[in-house]
Each structure stands twice: as C-alpha cells, then as structure tokens.
Amino acid sequence: MPPEIALLESRALRDSVIERTDVLDKVKVLTMLPDGLHITTRMVAEYFEVGEEAVKSLAKRHREEFHSNGMHLLRGVDLQVFERSNLDLSDSSYPQGRAHLTLYPRRAVLNVAMLLRDSDIARRVRNYLLEVEESARSGPEVGTDQLPLERILTERVLAGPIGSRLDAVEACLADVGSTLRELAPWMARVSARLDGMDRRLDAHGRVICAMSERLCDLGEDMTEVRRDVATLKAESVQRRARRAKRRRG
C-alpha cells in the first residue's frame, strides 16, 4: 500500500479513488446541508477541524481540480434560492447578506481530505482510503464488509428487479442490432437510388439552365426585331407623307 503522502503528491492517484466518498463517514460523520448534496466552506473546516482560511487557500491553489469534482460558487438569484431552502438567513456572520457562497459536494470534500496536510482527520481519511483501495484489489479473499460501497451497491442492484430489467433491455438491444444488420442491404439500395436521383436532378438542372439562357437570348433577339419593325414603320410613314406631298404639288 502506498503511503498516505502519495495522495498529496499525485493527482492521478487522487482521481483514481475520488468516487470512494463513503470513507468520509467511516472516519467522522459528515453532516450535509438540507439538500443532502452539499456543505459550505465553514462546514468543511469544521469537519477537518481546521480554520476556514486553510480550506479557502487549498481551494484557491487547486481550483481547477476542485471544480472538476463539483465545487462551485453561487451568486445572485441562485444564491437567494439556495439560502431559502438550506441556510439560516439569521446568521450573524453575514448581517448584510452573503455576496457569494462556495459549495462542496462529497467528492470535493474527499478532494480536500486528499490535499489537506495539517489535519489529523484528513490524514486518517487518506490512510483509510488507501486501506480500502488495497482491500478492494485483494480479490475474492476480501470480506463483504471490506468491499467498497460502490461495488456492494452494484452487486445488489444487479441481483434485484433492476438487474432483470437491465437484462431485458440488453436483449432488446440485441434484437435492434440484428434488425439493423438486416436493414443494411436495403438501406444501401435506397442510398444508391437516392444517388441516382441526385444525378438526374443535376442533369435536369443543367438542361433548365441552358433553356433559361436560350430564352434570354431569344428575348434579346425579339427586342431587336421590335426595334427594326418600329424603324420600318417610321420609314414607311415618311415615304407615304413624301408621296402625298408630291401629288399635291
């Protein structure tokens, strides 16, 4: 088993065990807010028996990692809605109301435990976490009471009604796969016919474009013909006028 300091140094190792949030309650009961999902910075500090500044400083140094594990900041309307349901609005520490509030889900609290150096509680969480991880790797010889909570829950779910439903879903998916394989040749033929239709439409489009250009040319020719006819009419009128004038003279 690696020493607990390994969790302080390796994010990859921390990421590999971040789901084992059940170890928090094994070391010390973690009291959540009424929503059952989050705790505040103050509650994190109280759990690890350190000052709030220690937690804030840690969150600042590892902000990206903490955000990836669910830590987030509430402001404005979201904060007001959350406070009405989960926090004591008469808290004397914020006589003018909070400007923002940082919330930690259990994953983020475990993240704190794996990074907080000056806390006996955090150190015990790290040691317990590594012990559970080592026990989980020992295979069939591990007792049920030592199995990770996630594995126990998974086995119970698969053994119950949900497991039978999942089997039914898997069977349906298998039928869908075979149906798709049967449809594949038909879909290929449809695709080929659609390609042929596209080619014919392209050919028709080219013919229509050529006809449109020809009609434009004919329109220009007709304009010229109308000009010529108008000129001929004018010349004919002039000739008749000259002949009539000569007769009168």
Side-chain angles (χ1 to χ4, degrees), residues 57-76:
S57 176
L58 191 68
K60 185 176 181 180
R61 290 199 305 273
H62 300 274
R63 184 176 301 276
E64 186 277 328
E65 182 176 350
F66 276 37
H67 279 311
S68 70
N69 287 315
M71 185 190 78
H72 59 283
L73 195 71
L74 290 183
R75 297 179 186 272

Side-chain angles (χ1 to χ4, degrees), residues 51-210:
E52 286 188 59
E53 289 303 318
V55 177
K56 292 178 180 178
S57 176
L58 191 68
K60 185 176 181 180
R61 290 199 305 273
H62 300 274
R63 184 176 301 276
E64 186 277 328
E65 182 176 350
F66 276 37
H67 279 311
S68 70
N69 287 315
M71 185 190 78
H72 59 283
L73 195 71
L74 290 183
R75 297 179 186 272
V77 176
D78 292 336
L79 174 57
Q80 294 173 12
V81 172
F82 189 86
E83 282 185 323
R84 283 197 293 269
S85 303
N86 294 279
L87 299 175
D88 182 4
L89 299 182
S90 64
D91 190 343
S92 59
S93 299
Y94 301 94
Q96 304 301 322
R98 299 175 178 85
H100 55 78
L101 179 68
T102 303
L103 294 178
Y104 295 75
R106 295 179 70 91
R107 281 167 56 107
V109 177
L110 183 58
N111 206 160
V112 173
M114 290 189 284
L115 287 167
L116 191 59
R117 295 177 180 270
D118 300 325
S119 167
D120 182 61
I121 299 298
R123 190 175 299 109
R124 286 163 56 191
V125 170
R126 290 193 291 271
N127 284 325
Y128 194 93
L129 185 62
L130 292 172
E131 288 174 6
V132 171
E133 179 69 10
E134 187 69 18
S135 298
R137 292 175 180 173
S138 63
E141 296 180 1
V142 180
T144 303
D145 58 336
Q146 295 177 305
L147 289 174
L149 181 61
E150 181 181 355
R151 179 175 170 185
I152 294 172
L153 291 176
T154 301
E155 291 177 352
R156 289 179 181 176
V157 167
L158 292 178
I162 294 179
S164 60
R165 291 184 181 181
L166 289 176
D167 292 338
V169 171
E170 290 177 350
C172 290
L173 290 176
D175 292 339
V176 170
S178 61
T179 302
L180 289 176
R181 285 192 293 273
E182 293 174 359
L183 288 174
W186 177 81
M187 293 175 69
R189 290 194 295 272
V190 170
S191 178
R193 292 184 64 182
L194 289 174
D195 290 340
M197 291 176 65
D198 286 340
R199 288 193 293 272
R200 288 195 293 274
L201 286 173
D202 288 340
H204 291 325
R206 289 193 293 272
V207 171
I208 291 172
C209 288

Side-chain angles (χ1 to χ4, degrees), residues 28 44-51 118-121:
K28 180 181 177 181
V44 174
E46 291 173 351
Y47 176 84
F48 291 108
E49 300 175 5
V50 297
D118 300 325
S119 167
D120 182 61
I121 299 298

Side-chain angles (χ1 to χ4, degrees), residues 222-240:
M222 289 299 296
T223 300
E224 293 179 0
V225 168
R226 284 195 291 272
R227 284 199 297 267
D228 293 341
V229 169
T231 301
L232 290 173
K233 285 182 177 180
E235 291 176 351
S236 176
V237 169
Q238 291 174 358
R239 283 196 296 273
R240 286 199 297 270

